[in-house]
Amino acid sequence: MGKEGFNGAGVLTESIAFALHAALEAAVKELRGRVLTDAYEQERRAATLARLTIDNGDPAETAAFARELLAMVER
């Protein structure tokens, strides 16, 4: 269904959904690029990315995250 089938509330809801999705993508990009300063930040970052990776369901992203976790514990 395109916007032409939405009423005013549907158009508003779709606009909000797109804005929230863009905000989430920006936050994830910032999180992935962040320089971590302590163990707490490292744990919070890992927990957040784990949830996002599981929700995404992309096997390549899951494998990359697993490699990142392994590197984190080998330090």
Side-chain angles (χ1 to χ4, degrees), residues 18-42:
F18 283 134
L20 290 173
H21 182 76
L24 177 61
E25 285 184 340
V28 170
K29 183 178 179 180
E30 190 277 331
L31 181 64
R32 290 187 188 280
R34 178 177 288 188
V35 175
L36 306 174
T37 60
D38 60 22
Y40 176 78
E41 282 190 359
Q42 195 173 39

